[in-house]
Amino acid sequence: VTLSHEIHLASRPDGWPTPENFAFVEVPVPDVGAGEVLVRNTFMSVDPYMRGRMNDARSYAEPYQLGQVLHGGALGEVVVSESPDLEVGQTVLHAFGWREYAWGPAGLFRAVDPAAAPTVSAHLGVLGMPGLTAYVGLLDIASFQAGDAVFVSGAAGAVGSVAGQIAKAKGASLVVGSAGSAAKVAYVEGLGFDAAFNYHDGPVARLLRTAAPDGIDVYFDNVGGDHLEAAIGSLRLRGRVALCGSISGYNTDAPTGPRNLGLATGNRLTLRGYIVSDHGDRMKAFVGEMSQWLRDGTVRYDETFVDGLAHAPDAFLGLLRGENTGKMIVRL
Ligand SMILES: NC(=O)c1ccc[n+]([C@@H]2O[C@H](COP(=O)([O-])OP(=O)(O)OC[C@H]3O[C@@H](n4cnc5c(N)ncnc54)[C@H](OP(=O)(O)O)[C@@H]3O)[C@@H](O)[C@H]2O)c1
């Protein structure tokens, strides 16, 4: 292999990204040195946090550099190995992002079991970073207890669909989900959520009160904005919020915040943000439980595939617009 293709950041978006922010480029593949591997990518992840990395702003993840590849989670097959640690043909997970081939020290590639789930791409979703995000957010950050009534926004997405199913598996008294279309509401109900609503159907506060008339104990927040305000209005005494993400504000520089935060004092609420990469110590427990849930059908998952490296920007823009059910994945 002498040539590869990559998607680079061509310019920084102002508001919603556009296809012009990305460039499809051809690059030479260097010789594989001692201790290194060459990997042909098979699946790539597109994730909401990548939107933040397109800005030139300090955050928990480094900004993407202009003219450089968009890094992120991907799966591939080892095609050349100069390392005793990885064999040709092994499936590996890495963070080299949107490219046809990835290469480097073998230690930056982690072998995964392709048979661990019905699809190998599950390592980018339910069995990977988004699944761990759901697990840690619900159990550790929101301190979920059996009997809690739970509200999950972004419920048809990669993280939300898993968070709600874990809550059901662990004995929630009620799990309510919100999503952006009637078809997604039906999907979420099919996963075993007790109720779901389309947030376009009215003010979120009213829709949530109808679905959970007695209030909620836990809110798993993927959306922020009016969803967070509605949840604060419905939380009972000592309610807890996992601040996982606030996608409603990612493409605007004037995101809205909750106006009713004053309720947090009297109701002794806890609102806690977190970043999944700080919680690698929970990976083993998560994979153990999730593997069992996948085997016995307790947790189900869906994936939305977009084909071809050149269409990675479309997959990413589609994710931000809500075109995915379950995990959005680029298939090479
Ligand atoms: N804290 C962490 O470490 C961590 C790690 C991973 C992910 N996250 C966060 O978790 C959330 C979900 O991520 P994911 O990877 O699972 O993505 P996802 O939910 O699979 O995809 C994003 C979804 O967001 C929804 N959305 C877009 N704009 C919206 C809006 N204005 N209001 C309400 N919903 C909107 C869309 O669904 P609809 O059709 O329903 O609108 C879309 O499908 C994001 O906020 C992400 O940043 C946090």
Side-chain angles (χ1 to χ4, degrees):
V1 180
T2 54
L3 287 175
S4 178
H5 296 91
E6 302 181 344
I7 307 286
H8 289 185
L9 181 66
S11 58
R12 298 194 188 279
D14 180 15
W16 280 85
T18 64
E20 291 68 42
N21 297 135
F22 304 92
F24 182 86
V25 297
E26 191 172 86
V27 296
V29 173
D31 290 336
V32 179
E36 295 183 345
V37 291
L38 177 67
V39 169
R40 185 177 54 79
N41 276 345
T42 48
F43 297 98
M44 307 182 325
S45 187
V46 292
D47 294 275
Y49 77 90
M50 294 173 161
R51 175 62 189 85
R53 297 187 69 182
M54 294 180 77
N55 296 336
D56 191 15
R58 280 190 65 85
S59 176
Y60 61 91
E62 283 294 298
Y64 291 129
Q65 297 301 310
L66 290 174
Q68 298 289 317
V69 75
L70 282 94
H71 285 87
L75 285 163
E77 244 177 62
V78 178
V79 289
V80 178
S81 178
E82 296 296 338
S83 161
D85 300 331
L86 290 174
E87 286 170 27
V88 169
Q90 268 189 305
T91 302
V92 291
L93 179 70
H94 63 82
F96 287 96
W98 297 9
R99 49 176 109 213
E100 195 178 1
Y101 287 93
W103 53 86
L108 297 179
F109 297 80
R110 182 164 65 79
V112 297
D113 176 6
T119 58
V120 65
S121 42
H123 288 287
L124 297 176
V126 67
L127 258 184
M129 183 278 279
L132 180 64
T133 303
Y135 186 86
V136 166
L138 183 76
L139 302 181
D140 301 342
I141 305 301
S143 306
F144 170 83
Q145 302 292 322
D148 281 347
V150 178
F151 172 43
V152 181
S153 55
V159 174
S161 62
V162 177
Q165 291 182 85
I166 296 175
K168 280 304 282 186
K170 296 227 174 230
S173 60
L174 177 75
V175 179
V176 175
S178 69
S181 71
K184 287 190 180 187
V185 165
Y187 171 71
V188 168
E189 287 171 343
L191 291 176
F193 284 56
D194 299 291
F197 61 81
N198 176 352
Y199 63 82
H200 296 298
D201 284 349
V204 181
R206 178 168 63 71
L207 297 167
L208 177 58
R209 252 195 318 274
T210 305
D214 297 330
I216 58 173
D217 304 293
V218 165
Y219 173 44
F220 192 107
D221 189 20
N222 288 313
V223 169
D226 55 351
H227 273 79
L228 179 55
E229 183 171 294
I232 289 171
S234 274
L235 278 162
R236 299 196 279 233
L237 206 59
R238 283 179 252 288
R240 289 141 275 140
V241 179
L243 295 170
C244 175
S246 51
I247 196 164
S248 68
Y250 291 178
N251 293 302
T252 165
D253 44 19
T256 60
R259 293 164 296 183
N260 55 354
L261 208 47
L263 290 173
T265 308
N267 285 331
R268 289 79 155 174
L269 305 183
T270 304
L271 289 81
R272 192 170 161 208
Y274 71 109
I275 293 298
V276 63
S277 51
D278 296 338
H279 299 271
D281 59 320
R282 293 288 276 154
M283 194 66 180
K284 197 158 174 267
F286 158 68
V287 169
E289 285 203 270
M290 185 54 74
S291 305
Q292 182 57 39
W293 287 329
L294 290 172
R295 271 195 300 275
D296 66 22
T298 301
V299 171
R300 282 175 290 147
Y301 70 99
D302 213 333
E303 300 173 310
T304 300
F305 293 104
V306 170
D307 285 303
L309 176 72
H311 291 119
D314 303 329
F316 177 62
L317 298 176
L319 171 83
L320 297 176
R321 284 194 293 259
E323 288 167 13
N324 59 306
T325 297
K327 180 76 184 101
M328 185 69 109
I329 287 172
V330 181
R331 183 165 50 194
L332 273 70

